[in-house]
Amino acid sequence: MSDAPAPSAVPRRGRRTRERSGAFLRAAGRYVRTHPVSFAFVVIILTSAALTESLWGEDASVWGAGPLATFAAGRWWTLLTALVIPDSTIDAVVSAALAVTVLAYAERLLGSRRTAVLLAVLGLAGLLTGIGLHAAAWAVTDLRPVIAAEVPVLDPTTPIAGVVMAASAFASTLWRRRVRLVGFATLALFALYAGDADSWYRLSAALIGLVVGEILARGRERRAWHRSSTRETRTLLALVVAVVGSGPLVALISGGGRGPLSLVVDAYTQYDDELLSRCGRMSSSVCDEQVALLMTRGLGPALLAVIPLVLMLVAAWGLRLGRRAALILAVLTLVASAVIPVISLIDGRLRIDPWVDGSGAEYVLWALATVVIPLVLAIVLLLQRRKFPVLATRGAARTVAVVIGVAFVACASTFFAIEELGRRSFDRDPSVLDLVLLTLRRFLPPAYTNPAGAATFPHHGPALFAYQWVGVLFWVIVIAAVLWLFRRIQRPDPGDTRLYRELLQRGSDTLGFLGTWTGNLHWYSDDLECAVAYRLVGDVALAVADPLVPEGRRPETLQTFSDFCVERGWTPAFYSVHEDTAADLDALGWRNVPVGVETVMDLPGLTFAGKAWQKVRQPLTRAEREGYTAVWTRWHDLTVSQASQVIAIDEEWVADRALPEMGFTLGSLDELRDRDVRLLLAVGPEGRIEAVTSWMPSWTDGAITGWTLDFMRRRTDGPNGMMEFLIAKAALQLQEEGVGVLSLSGAPLAESPEALSDADPAPLRALLRWLAEVLEPAYGFASLFRFKGKFRPRYRELTLAYRDPLDLPAIGAAVGRAYLPDASRREIVALARSAWGGRR
């Protein structure tokens, strides 16, 4: 038998391939049409790299620019070639990637014509300025050791840096700050630590571009900055800590670095200078250079050498989230990284290679990079400690302290025991004091720990393995414990639920009652007149429905609640809010995306007469004719038999789902037990409950003026039309009670008919449409939305409001976890597979 696919499968598979190829080509065509300059620059970079063979690793420095190459040699044309020819394969790839991404972003802000002009002008200006500064620095004798010997510069990222900084003046407030902060931090990092000439040329172009952009953007209306100063301060300090932490690593990668601050790399070398010095002075079977290199330049010592840098990066991540533990970690690491090198230098364990003229300037720069900057940053962090109030739970703090203490004792004891048993592995017989000191030194970077002229070390066997890895193991445990501690924060008090209900009865929208559900927390203004119900999922605070506020205080409440979240390191988001709230958030600089549609029936004057109501009127008439009745009640008024029937109907419905029952804004049996919630039952002639609905109240000035449908269940073997019957009866009976609004609640991930006509939606909306298709087989949101359309409702769009586009992945994950907190990974994967199979 042949294993070939069925004949009909081949054309189908080929058709899908052609469709995907066509979609890719159309997307590429749109990119080229909207970013012609960026695309052309990529072509120029790759073509020039191929022609000069720098793309294959060949030396193309003859095309580079510099004080000697351009001016002394008279090769003026290098001012142009240096801006388009990369100097290596890696440079070509990085330059092309930046052109495709950040330069394309700048082109959208500036326009293609202006981008083309600025690429040439800012690239040339940055290059000339950098060359001038390079020549001036070389003329100062004391600076020559940290100024690279003149190597012609080839760097297409120089004009890109200038254009991006110029374009930042036209960006939104959020992205203007983000581009400038991250951009200049990165450029300064390479300039100060790596110190290559091209790093300074890029920085020069960026500074000129910043000035040019501000000039071009004069008179342009700009939105005021609305972000919390707390968040801004945290981001800035975290970035500075990350730069200080990663700077030495940049210097190490660049071959030791030639920047003003690159001498700090002496404190992070992975080898023991004293051991290498001894091996250079003597030759024996016990101590030779190969053994020393094996011990001090292995993977273990290399990792131990960069532990301070890793701790700084971990601390930076925690500082951004407002964690007090991250503040303590950063301060301790900064102080230790400043004090220990000084002690090592005094004891002779750390040496700084003097410059040729012996002027002593190297000690000034070393002290600045190694001592002054860390200590100043530590002081700044302590002064700003109020910006980091997020505390871990006491139990988690105690657990981490115990884990670190036990890990240190266990690692130190194990190391001492192994070294004691492996005395024969040492180059000389160590004393007990030698082993104790050696044990303590194995938890510090190697460059700090060698006592001059008295180094002792094992050279083979388990003793060597422990020598290389015990310190690394301890710090891995410490880092894992700290990261775990960052996640174990003190959760807020859920707030006074009774006060929330009092404010709810003062006046609320149709979905305000969702805030009373179990799992929600409550925030109140200082005067207790405003309230926000929110669900805390991880570090995302999902505000549920519109805030409860007196007239005119909604913008103030939205901003204050947002600041409240930021101070605690949370990401605020408003979920399922109506147009008025979304408009106020938009005025505060937020963005929003539709996440559902609420269907609302206005009851005054409602009749089910006419052809348009035929699909509702027929089930209503048939059910009444067959003896079905609609019974209003509450959960605590149900008989035991009735409660059992409602539970059985719900269990039958849940058992038929591909995933567990959803929550968050979708009620379950638990929400039916609230005494303010009314139930409407469809009861048959024999007393059997065929369907059940629940209704949540909404108030105006203390009086109930609306009811919102929540829980909907019916027997799978019951008669058709029961839901139409219950909703119609609810509308008519509530109309008699004087209620003005009947909400059929929101349909998650649904879109109004007007939105569905959008053939080319925004990427995020397109993603939500796909998610709706995935969940449709399990939950039938689209079917439910079409069902509600029978009642000719008024559509009210529900939106998700967010402040930062980069927060969307975390917010999306939080929404998913809020709706499906009990779903297992296996169930979610099975759902995705079934949805994908259905689409195919």
Side-chain angles (χ1 to χ4, degrees):
M1 294 181 63
S2 174
D3 292 331
S8 59
V10 176
R12 186 162 57 248
R13 186 179 304 169
R15 184 167 59 252
R16 287 199 301 268
T17 302
R18 289 193 299 272
E19 289 175 354
R20 293 172 183 172
S21 300
F24 173 79
L25 292 175
R26 287 192 297 273
R30 285 195 299 269
Y31 177 89
V32 173
R33 288 193 300 272
T34 54
H35 309 92
V37 175
S38 301
F39 178 75
F41 197 54
V42 171
V43 173
I44 291 173
I45 291 172
L46 296 179
T47 302
S48 63
L51 293 176
T52 59
E53 297 186 340
S54 65
L55 188 60
W56 328 120
E58 297 295 329
D59 182 16
S61 58
V62 67
W63 304 95
L68 300 181
T70 301
F71 294 100
R75 298 200 297 266
W76 300 98
W77 40 268
T78 59
L79 293 175
L80 298 178
T81 58
L83 298 176
V84 296
I85 300 175
D87 65 356
S88 65
T89 304
I90 295 178
D91 190 26
V93 173
V94 172
S95 299
L98 291 175
V100 170
T101 54
V102 295
L103 182 60
Y105 169 74
E107 187 174 356
R108 287 201 304 271
L109 296 174
L110 291 169
S112 298
R113 184 177 303 176
R114 186 179 285 175
T115 300
V117 173
L118 290 180
L119 265 178
V121 172
L122 294 178
L124 186 61
L127 201 59
L128 288 172
T129 302
I131 290 174
L133 293 174
H134 193 170
W138 186 255
V140 179
T141 303
D142 284 348
L143 291 179
R144 286 188 180 182
V146 292
I147 300 298
E150 215 258 341
V151 176
V153 169
L154 293 163
D155 187 23
T157 63
T158 297
I160 294 176
V163 172
V164 170
M165 289 303 162
S168 67
F170 296 85
S172 64
T173 305
L174 169 66
W175 285 101
R176 181 167 65 250
R177 171 185 173 275
R178 179 167 289 155
V179 168
R180 291 177 176 179
L181 195 61
V182 175
F184 277 114
T186 304
L187 294 173
L189 173 67
F190 281 90
L192 294 175
Y193 286 96
D196 297 309
D198 50 357
S199 299
W200 290 99
Y201 293 5
R202 281 193 298 268
L203 184 59
S204 300
L207 290 170
I208 297 172
L210 182 68
V211 175
V212 171
E214 290 297 321
I215 294 174
L216 293 175
R218 282 186 306 176
R220 186 171 179 265
E221 183 180 356
R222 298 189 184 186
R223 173 173 284 170
W225 185 251
H226 292 291
R227 274 183 177 267
S228 166
S229 59
T230 298
R231 184 182 179 96
E232 187 175 3
T233 302
R234 285 178 187 165
T235 302
L236 179 61
L237 289 174
L239 188 62
V240 173
V241 170
V243 168
V244 172
S246 55
L249 189 60
V250 169
L252 280 169
I253 294 174
S254 64
R258 290 176 291 272
L261 303 183
S262 62
L263 288 173
V264 71
V265 78
D266 291 338
Y268 293 96
T269 52
Q270 61 167 305
Y271 51 84
D272 294 343
D273 281 326
E274 182 59 30
L275 289 181
L276 299 181
S277 177
R278 288 181 62 196
C279 289
R281 295 193 305 268
M282 58 187 295
S283 176
S284 70
S285 59
V286 176
C287 177
D288 58 45
E289 185 174 1
Q290 296 303 316
V291 172
L293 291 176
L294 172 65
M295 288 190 326
T296 63
R297 291 203 179 194
L299 179 59
L303 294 176
L304 187 61
V306 298
I307 284 296
L309 312 184
V310 177
L311 291 175
M312 293 283 283
L313 295 178
V314 170
W317 182 72
L319 290 173
R320 186 183 63 85
L321 300 175
R323 302 294 192 262
R324 179 62 60 86
L327 174 70
I328 296 173
L329 176 64
V331 171
L332 291 178
T333 305
L334 287 167
V335 172
S337 64
V339 173
I340 294 177
V342 173
I343 296 175
S344 300
L345 185 67
I346 294 174
D347 289 349
R349 301 173 189 172
L350 183 67
R351 293 194 303 273
I352 302 175
D353 295 331
W355 290 343
V356 291
D357 60 352
S359 64
E362 69 274 13
Y363 288 97
V364 175
L365 290 176
W366 181 88
L368 176 65
T370 307
V371 181
V372 177
I373 290 179
L375 290 180
V376 169
L377 183 53
I379 292 173
V380 171
L381 289 174
L382 289 174
L383 293 176
Q384 295 293 328
R385 61 186 178 277
R386 294 181 181 271
K387 304 293 185 183
F388 307 94
V390 184
L391 300 175
T393 62
R394 292 184 178 180
R398 286 194 296 267
T399 299
V400 169
V402 170
V403 167
I404 293 178
V406 170
F408 179 80
V409 172
C411 289
S413 301
T414 303
F415 178 78
F416 183 87
I418 292 175
E419 303 306 303
E420 175 66 27
L421 294 174
R423 283 175 172 271
R424 295 182 179 180
S425 302
F426 284 79
D427 59 330
R428 63 183 178 84
D429 187 29
S431 65
V432 174
L433 179 61
D434 288 336
L435 291 181
V436 171
L437 295 177
L438 180 64
T439 300
L440 296 178
R441 289 197 298 267
R442 294 323 298 156
F443 296 96
L444 296 176
Y448 298 149
T449 59
N450 253 355
T456 181
F457 57 89
H459 56 81
H460 62 77
L464 175 59
F465 182 83
Y467 180 91
Q468 291 182 322
W469 288 101
V470 68
V472 177
L473 175 61
F474 169 73
W475 286 111
V476 167
I477 295 174
V478 170
I479 292 170
V482 170
L483 292 174
W484 179 83
L485 185 66
F486 286 170
R487 309 301 300 178
R488 278 16 182 216
I489 62 174
Q490 296 180 8
R491 294 297 178 178
D493 185 271
D496 188 348
T497 304
R498 291 176 299 177
L499 176 59
Y500 186 85
R501 286 183 183 265
E502 292 175 5
L503 297 178
L504 194 66
Q505 294 176 12
R506 180 189 62 190
S508 60
D509 210 320
T510 51
L511 300 181
F513 198 84
L514 297 176
T516 65
W517 288 1
T518 302
N520 291 330
L521 305 173
H522 301 100
W523 169 89
Y524 299 102
S525 59
D526 292 337
D527 60 2
L528 303 180
E529 289 294 315
C530 306
V532 174
Y534 64 99
R535 183 74 58 96
L536 189 60
V537 184
D539 290 328
V540 178
L542 293 171
V544 185
D546 302 293
L548 304 179
V549 294
E551 186 68 27
R553 293 191 60 183
R554 186 163 49 213
E556 166 201 341
T557 299
L558 296 173
Q559 183 62 59
T560 308
F561 172 74
S562 176
D563 293 343
F564 165 81
C565 294
V566 169
E567 288 174 1
R568 284 151 182 79
W570 305 335
T571 300
F574 288 85
Y575 188 80
S576 289
V577 297
H578 292 103
E579 293 179 359
D580 294 342
T581 301
D584 288 338
L585 287 168
D586 182 67
L588 294 174
W590 289 52
R591 304 184 183 190
N592 62 78
V593 61
V595 292
V597 176
E598 183 186 13
T599 50
V600 178
M601 299 174 64
D602 296 311
L603 298 184
L606 174 68
T607 63
F608 293 126
K611 186 177 181 180
W613 290 101
Q614 185 175 356
K615 292 183 178 181
V616 175
R617 189 173 58 250
Q618 285 181 349
L620 173 62
T621 303
R622 184 175 62 250
E624 290 178 336
R625 184 175 62 248
E626 294 176 357
Y628 289 92
T629 57
V631 180
W632 285 105
T633 185
R634 298 179 192 271
W635 181 267
H636 60 273
D637 293 328
L638 293 175
T639 65
V640 174
S641 174
Q642 289 175 324
S644 299
Q645 290 184 68
V646 172
I647 293 173
I649 292 172
D650 179 66
E651 290 178 349
E652 183 182 31
W653 184 89
V654 172
D656 195 40
R657 304 297 102 185
L659 286 176
E661 189 172 11
M662 298 183 76
F664 191 31
T665 63
L666 301 173
S668 63
L669 280 177
D670 293 335
E671 284 68 43
L672 269 60
R673 294 177 169 86
D674 193 298
R675 289 184 173 270
D676 287 324
V677 173
R678 296 177 70 179
L679 305 181
L680 185 59
L681 312 177
V683 182
E686 298 179 356
R688 191 177 85 150
I689 298 176
E690 300 293 344
V692 56
T693 56
S694 72
W695 301 83
M696 303 179 296
S698 56
W699 291 267
T700 301
D701 296 328
I704 294 178
T705 55
W707 290 91
T708 300
L709 175 64
D710 176 35
F711 189 88
M712 297 173 61
R713 300 285 190 271
R714 70 178 183 88
R715 293 186 185 273
T716 57
D717 60 347
N720 294 327
M722 284 294 101
M723 285 304 165
E724 291 89 337
F725 167 68
L726 284 179
I727 294 175
K729 293 294 287 186
L732 294 174
Q733 293 178 15
L734 292 175
Q735 183 186 51
E736 294 178 0
E737 296 178 10
V739 174
V741 173
L742 184 72
S743 171
L744 302 183
S745 195
L749 303 178
E751 295 184 273
S752 64
E754 295 78 9
L756 287 172
S757 63
D758 184 4
D760 188 19
L764 186 55
R765 178 169 287 189
L767 175 62
L768 292 174
R769 287 183 180 177
W770 175 84
L771 183 59
E773 294 180 12
V774 170
L775 293 176
E776 179 61 23
Y779 294 104
F781 292 144
S783 302
L784 178 62
F785 182 64
R786 289 192 297 269
F787 165 79
K788 293 177 179 179
K790 295 180 180 181
F791 297 90
R792 305 182 64 189
R794 170 167 50 93
Y795 295 107
R796 301 180 69 190
E797 190 172 70
L798 300 174
T799 63
L800 164 65
Y802 58 94
R803 184 172 49 188
D804 188 342
L806 296 184
D807 291 334
L808 278 174
I811 294 173
V815 171
R817 289 169 57 192
Y819 270 120
L820 291 168
D822 300 324
S824 66
R825 294 180 180 178
R826 180 181 300 177
E827 290 171 324
I828 295 176
V829 170
L831 175 66
R833 286 178 177 173
S834 63
W836 177 250
R839 289 169 59 87
R840 292 178 63 184

